């Protein structure tokens, strides 16, 4: 049902500055019917969400302020104003000194003049003037202003009157440092504990949806693996016969999976590789991450090569594939339970915005804690990149060996080789650019619960390998023309994917980078800009487009006999379309009218001319 709201986007009204009785001219950027909050922008660029009761029309404001001015003029100078402080010390002095009143008036005036944006502009692509201006503004923030903001936040926390949370952003340079400093000053003055996060918008169909997902996903993957492995891989061969219990569980396999995890964890702790800072968290802190994924990959490859030299038969993974899957599933479930339990002791400001609804099942799935760590070991960052991604490459290799064995080949088939090489490139690229993961939604926004744990440890290594698994028992001949076509498709997809991701990362890191000066941008009220030319002007998510092209190049080598090897492609398109919708929502909230402008300039989301 559309909700009624008094003011429309673009309207200029008077907005109360949170925690004070001061009103400023603001422009309405939008209204959220769910939270009943208006997004408004002040003249200095500060963007906040305000309640209806804190907004008033210009005409009404002039009327009332006119009346109050005339009332205050008629007030006898000797009659003291009520002090805002209830401290006994101040009350006793209150009426004795008129100079105190005059000082208060001056402070109030200075506040009106000096109130500066607390959410600052971080970037400027075309020239550096606005950035400088903001630095000056920041320098002007007086203790009084900080105190005023502190009061505003305290009021916000206490009664939930305003939404003063920092808009999710924030990566760009110097200004962030300044913003952090302001926040630290503010924090030190704050006495109240942070307000608990409460997730209002439930995704994936809420409690029922995530419950069904948790139930169906593990079984769906089992069904996929059974189908991929049997001679008739057609979907019509459902319902499947359930395998014997011994083919689903093996303690030796479970031990190997545990050892693999420990080996990768040990590699991640080796003090090799640079240490970088992640994105600023909502509490103003930043976490440090050691970037050594690619080194770990090289060491793992050397270890596997040494094992092959020692005649270790890696096709063992293929013959025990279901048991590997169930072991990974069990470990993912146990890790999720551990994460949920430990989140009870997590500080309130370390919880994820999306996983704290108060509903057990939902929060277990989405993950309550944003960055669960055991000392410096970041569990989420580790799981996202290491065991699953490298496991994927290792499983593919085992499928290659299994194919040669099963089909009596002296060398792997071209189809199997292409699948192995293409996917190896994707994983190596991801590990090489490991640092970029720190700006992704998974790290910045999502909690670490069953969804990501299961995704990282079970879903990725056992479903992304489905093409290679399929090819072991379903050979597919490829002509030279097809090989050329697939290599070209992979090459173009990779180029778009890499270029788009690297360009955005470089731009967010340093928007004034002369190497990026050719890009056209749209400024936003948060200070960050949106790229509107080149790949980001072609579609709104060129990186998704490149990823999907690669997904197609990985599936086509399996031929057209069955749908099952296209599982990855279908999943990827579904995931990225859903992710795109999530991201659109967040960007609309973050950037308001600037995002609308971007959408008008770049109408297609992922597929040019189609979607
Ligand atoms: P993006 O890297 O596209 O990040 C989206 C963010 O980019 C937005 O929230 C916004 O954040 C910023 N942004 C959006 N438009 C612009 C613009 N025009 N100019 C500048 N900044 C913009 O999305 P993801 O994190 O979802 O994906 C990253 C990569 O990972 C993709 O290549 C994707 O294909 C891949 N991926 C692959 C998966 C798989 O299973 N194979 C799963 C998930 C992702 P802000 O403004 O705050 O910077």
């Amino acid at each position: 049902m559309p909700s009624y709201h008094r003011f429309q986007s673009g309207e200029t009204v008077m907005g109360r500055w949170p925690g004070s009785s001061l009103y400023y001219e603001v422009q309405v950027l939008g209204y959220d019917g769910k939270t009943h909050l208006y997004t408004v922008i002040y003249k200095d660029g500060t963007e906040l969400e305000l309640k209806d009761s804190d907004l008033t029309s210009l005409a009404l404001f002039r009327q009332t302020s006119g009346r109050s001015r005339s009332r205050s003029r008629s007030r006898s100078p000797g009659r003291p104003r009520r002090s805002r402080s209830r401290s006994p010390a101040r009350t006793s002095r209150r009426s004795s000194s008129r100079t105190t009143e005059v000082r208060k008036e001056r402070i109030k005036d200075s506040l009106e003049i000096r109130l500066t944006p607390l959410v600052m502009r971080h970037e400027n692509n075309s020239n550096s003037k606005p950035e400088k201006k903001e630095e000056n503004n920041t320098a002007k923030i007086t203790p009084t202003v900080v105190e005023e903001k502190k009061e505003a936040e305290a009021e916000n926390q206490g009664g939930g009157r305003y939404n003063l949370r920092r808009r999710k952003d924030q990566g760009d340079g110097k200004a962030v440092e300044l913003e952090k400093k302001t926040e630290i000053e503010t924090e030190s003055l704050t006495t109240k504990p942070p307000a608990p996060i409460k997730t209002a918008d439930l995704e994936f169909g809420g409690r029922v949806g995530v419950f069904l997902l948790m139930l169906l996903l593990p079984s769906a993957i089992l069904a996929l693996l059974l189908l991929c492995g049997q001679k008739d891989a057609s979907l019509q061969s459902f319902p499947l016969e359930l395998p014997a219990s011994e083919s689903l569980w093996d303690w030796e396999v479970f031990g190997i999976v545990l050892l693999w995890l420990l080996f990768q964890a040990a590699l991640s702790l080796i003090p090799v590789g640079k240490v970088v800072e992640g994105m600023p968290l909502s509490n103003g802190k930043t976490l440090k991450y050691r970037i050594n994924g690619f080194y770990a990959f090289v060491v793992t490859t050397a270890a596997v090569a040494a094992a092959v030299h020692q005649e270790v038969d890696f096709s063992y993974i293929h013959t025990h594939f279901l048991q590997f899957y169930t072991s990974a599933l069990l470990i993912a479930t146990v890790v999720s339970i551990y994460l949920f339990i430990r989140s009870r002791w997590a500080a309130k400001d370390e919880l994820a915005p999306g996983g704290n609804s108060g509903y057990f099942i939902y929060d277990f799935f989405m993950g309550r804690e944003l960055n669960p760590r055991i000392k410096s070991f970041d569990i989420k960052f580790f799981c996202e990149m290491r065991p699953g991604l490298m496991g994927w490459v290792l499983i593919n290799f085992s499928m290659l060996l299994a194919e040669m064995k099963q089909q009596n080949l002296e060398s792997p088939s071209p189809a199997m080789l292409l699948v192995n090489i293409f996917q190896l490139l994707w994983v190596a690229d991801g590990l090489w650019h490991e640092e970029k993961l720190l700006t992704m939604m998974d790290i910045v926004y999502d909690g670490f619960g069953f969804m990501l744990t299961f995704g990282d440890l079970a879903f990725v290594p056992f479903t992304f390998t489905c093409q290679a698994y399929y090819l072991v028992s379903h050979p597919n001949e490829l002509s030279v023309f097809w090989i050329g076509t697939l290599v070209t498709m992979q090459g173009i997809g990779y180029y778009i994917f890499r270029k788009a991701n690297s360009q955005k990362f470089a731009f967010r890191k340093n928007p004034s980078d002369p190497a990026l000066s050719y890009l056209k941008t749209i400024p936003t009220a948060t200070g960050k800009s949106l790229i509107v030319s080149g790949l980001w002007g072609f579609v709104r998510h060129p990186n998704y487009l490149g990823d999907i092209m690669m997904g197609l190049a990985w599936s086509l080598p399996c031929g057209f006999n069955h749908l099952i090897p296209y599982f990855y492609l279908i999943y990827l398109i579904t995931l990225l379309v859903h992710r795109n919708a999530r991201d659109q929502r967040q960007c609309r909230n973050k950037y308001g009218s600037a995002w609308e402008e971007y959408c008008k300039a770049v109408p297609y989301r992922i597929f040019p001319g189609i979607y």
Side-chain angles (χ1 to χ4, degrees), residues 130-145:
E131 213 161 71
K132 272 204 179 120
K133 187 173 151 234
E134 275 142 20
E135 282 175 30
N136 293 339
N137 282 346
T138 316
K140 271 201 281 174
I141 291 179
T142 60
T144 326
V145 173

Side-chain angles (χ1 to χ4, degrees), residues 501 504 508 531 541 543-544 547 579 583 590-591 598:
N501 279 325
K504 180 166 70 73
R508 281 284 173 255
I531 309 170
H541 265 297
N543 46 356
Y544 290 1
D547 217 352
R579 215 172 155 93
D583 193 50
K590 250 187 299 187
Y591 300 128
Y598 175 58

Side-chain angles (χ1 to χ4, degrees), residues 214 218 249 254 257-258 261 324-340 364-365 379 383 448-462:
M214 273 194 284
W249 186 257
F254 180 72
V257 177
L258 268 186
L261 284 170
F324 273 96
Y325 169 63
T326 50
S327 298
L329 177 62
L330 180 71
I331 291 171
T333 311
V334 171
V335 172
S336 311
I337 295 171
Y338 160 74
L339 290 166
F340 189 77
F364 175 76
F365 181 80
I379 310 174
C383 288
F448 199 44
F450 184 82
M451 177 177 77
L452 287 183
T453 316
F454 171 77
D456 294 339
L457 302 182
F459 191 86
V460 167
F462 293 92

Side-chain angles (χ1 to χ4, degrees), residues 198-199 202 206-208 210-211 214 333 336-344 354-369 448-451:
K198 184 87 181 162
T199 308
L202 305 191
R207 283 175 287 171
V208 178
V210 301
F211 176 73
M214 273 194 284
T333 311
S336 311
I337 295 171
Y338 160 74
L339 290 166
F340 189 77
I341 294 172
R342 63 167 270 156
S343 72
R344 293 175 64 87
N356 286 278
S357 65
Y359 299 123
F360 159 76
I361 198 81
Y362 187 81
D363 296 346
F364 175 76
F365 181 80
M366 297 299 286
R368 293 191 72 227
E369 220 178 328
F448 199 44
F450 184 82
M451 177 177 77

Side-chain angles (χ1 to χ4, degrees), residues 37-79:
L37 292 172
Y38 287 91
T39 304
V40 299
I41 182 163
Y42 292 74
K43 279 188 170 167
D44 60 9
T46 308
E47 209 179 304
L48 291 179
E49 287 173 336
L50 296 183
K51 284 172 62 176
D52 180 273
S53 55
D54 294 316
L55 297 179
T56 181
S57 70
L58 284 175
L60 195 67
F61 181 80
R62 279 180 197 133
Q63 260 178 24
T64 28
S65 63
R67 267 206 303 273
S68 69
R69 258 202 306 276
S70 57
R71 257 208 310 273
S72 71
R73 256 185 254 124
S74 70
R75 189 185 273 149
S76 119
R79 196 169 131 209

Side-chain angles (χ1 to χ4, degrees), residues 85-187:
S85 160
R86 292 199 182 151
S87 110
R90 282 180 94 178
T91 328
S92 64
R93 271 190 272 139
R94 192 177 57 192
S95 54
S96 64
S97 161
R98 180 166 142 63
T99 45
T100 316
E101 291 303 317
V102 174
R103 240 184 65 226
K104 271 190 203 155
E105 287 293 342
R106 279 202 194 127
I107 289 170
K108 195 178 161 209
D109 285 349
S110 82
L111 242 173
E112 294 221 31
I113 296 158
R114 292 184 182 194
L115 206 53
T116 52
L118 293 159
V119 178
M120 281 175 282
R121 290 170 198 277
H122 301 163
E123 74 185 36
N124 169 34
N125 192 35
S126 48
N127 60 55
S128 59
K129 275 182 204 150
E131 213 161 71
K132 272 204 179 120
K133 187 173 151 234
E134 275 142 20
E135 282 175 30
N136 293 339
N137 282 346
T138 316
K140 271 201 281 174
I141 291 179
T142 60
T144 326
V145 173
V146 172
E147 199 175 332
E148 190 74 14
K149 183 180 176 243
K150 184 209 80 180
E151 282 178 20
E153 282 184 341
E155 189 172 350
N156 178 35
Q157 285 157 5
R161 290 166 52 83
Y162 304 96
N163 191 346
L164 256 179
R165 77 186 143 73
R166 280 194 323 158
R167 311 195 141 256
K168 182 183 155 244
D169 53 338
Q170 279 99 24
D172 310 330
K174 221 172 176 179
V176 170
E177 293 287 325
L178 291 163
E179 185 178 339
K180 253 171 33 194
K181 205 168 152 242
T182 315
E183 277 189 8
I184 290 161
E185 280 175 59
T186 312
E187 251 173 33

